[in-house]
Each structure stands twice: as structure tokens, then as C-alpha cells.
Amino acid sequence: MKLSVRMSGGIEPLFGTRDENIRLLETNLGVLVRMRDDSLEIEGPEAGVERTEAILEDYAELVGHGHVFSDGELHNCLRLVSGDAGLSLRALVESGRQRSFGKKVITPKTINQRLYLDAIERHDLVFGVGPAGTGKTYLAVAMGVSALLAKRVSRIILTRPAVEAGEKLGFLPGTLKEKIDPYLRPL
């Protein structure tokens, strides 16, 4: 099947460095994408061509409305969208909206943070697993505070593992506050 999608602008970021973004779509969806004057020609199996058309139309619409993709952001979005048929590029990009938590406003900085916040909003229980410094605890606490301020929950219960995580605490002299602080410091 062959199909043509008209592109009015933003074609350079779509192709990416050394055409990595287009190659990603071609590999994941089993299609061949060729540049023609003011459009992209898609050739391949019907399902792959239709999925690629939907992704490219979402991209053209986002660029038309002034959205600018940062380095690597488009590649990550295309990787996620081409791997999950139920996810649209537009929905993924728009899920990165700002959220206010009292006086603070937080915007997810990566696609994984966007997905994490969406999961927290949709589900009662979410496990965040990953390397240190990626914002798991910060975003979870911010979402908890937001739910408390919006009166969707009546209280927040903070918990930490009872096992030592890299630091030897041993017997801690002092007040109850001094004993608990090392466990709650990240929160």
C-alpha cells in the first residue's frame, strides 16, 4: 500500500540526526518512507502505513500549533508511539502539561516522567522503579500533596523501607525526631 502525507514544515526535526527518527518508524512499523517535494510517501503493509500516517499527521498538527521538540524528545516519543498502537503522538505530547501543587507548578521533563504522572493520576497504586535522581520520589510526593489540597484524599502516609539503604545507621542516640529524620530526609 502507498500513501502520501503532506508536510508543511518542521521536516528537519522529524528526520532527526542521520535520519534516525524516520529509520525508527520504518523499522518498528515495517514501512518505507520517502521524501517527495512537499510530502512524505509511505509504502508498506496497510496497518503499518496507516499507523505511520496517523503519527505523521499528529506531528504536523503539533508543529503547526507551535510545539517545538527538544533534542531526543521526538525520538523518544516516536519510539513509544510506534511500539504502542493505543498511544497517539498528540496525546503523549499533551500529557506533559503543567500541574500545580499549591504555590508550585511542575512540568514533567522527560517522557518517562509524563508516563509516571499519568499512571499516578489513573491508578491507586503505582510502583516507581529506576535509578536515583530521576524524580520518582519528588513527583510522587508532589502528586500526593496535590491530591491532599484538592481533597481527593484525607491524609498522606509516608513510608520508607525498614532496611538500611547504603548508610549504616545502627543505634541512633537522641530524640525520636533525630532517629526518624535519616529515613524521611528524601521525602
Side-chain angles (χ1 to χ4, degrees), residues 9-187:
I11 202 80
E12 296 87 10
L14 175 63
F15 274 78
T17 307
R18 297 183 184 163
D19 299 341
E20 67 181 356
N21 294 338
I22 291 297
R23 282 196 195 115
L24 176 74
L25 287 176
E26 289 177 337
T27 303
N28 288 354
L29 299 172
V31 296
L32 181 63
V33 180
R34 289 188 209 101
M35 181 76 177
R36 300 283 184 236
D37 296 328
D38 62 345
S39 64
L40 292 174
E41 186 180 87
I42 310 163
E43 185 177 351
E46 186 176 350
V49 169
E50 289 174 355
R51 182 74 181 132
T52 305
E53 177 191 24
I55 292 170
L56 293 177
E57 286 176 350
D58 281 351
Y59 174 79
E61 190 174 332
L62 288 166
V63 169
H65 288 298
H67 184 79
V68 178
F69 288 92
S70 64
D71 291 341
E73 180 187 12
L74 181 59
H75 185 77
N76 289 333
C77 286
L78 292 175
R79 183 177 45 81
L80 289 170
V81 169
S82 64
D84 183 358
L87 188 62
S88 75
L89 181 62
R90 183 178 179 137
L92 184 63
V93 169
E94 289 177 351
S95 70
R97 70 185 185 284
Q98 293 181 337
R99 292 162 173 90
S100 70
F101 305 100
K103 296 178 184 176
K104 280 197 157 197
V105 175
I106 295 176
T107 304
K109 302 209 180 327
T110 66
I111 291 171
N112 286 333
Q113 286 184 354
R114 291 177 191 174
L115 295 173
Y116 183 51
L117 289 180
D118 288 343
I120 290 173
E121 287 176 343
R122 281 181 295 181
H123 304 290
D124 291 337
L125 183 64
V126 176
F127 289 94
V129 180
T134 55
K136 297 178 302 295
T137 302
Y138 184 79
L139 292 172
V141 170
M143 292 296 285
V145 169
S146 172
L148 185 67
L149 293 174
K151 301 203 187 272
R152 290 191 308 264
V153 297
S154 59
R155 63 182 161 181
I156 298 174
I157 300 171
L158 301 175
T159 63
R160 297 288 292 168
V163 297
E164 296 170 350
E167 55 188 48
K168 300 284 184 200
L169 297 175
F171 173 74
L172 293 174
T175 66
L176 182 63
K177 182 181 179 333
E178 291 169 341
K179 292 177 184 181
I180 293 175
D181 274 350
Y183 288 101
L184 298 180
R185 189 176 300 131
L187 302 176

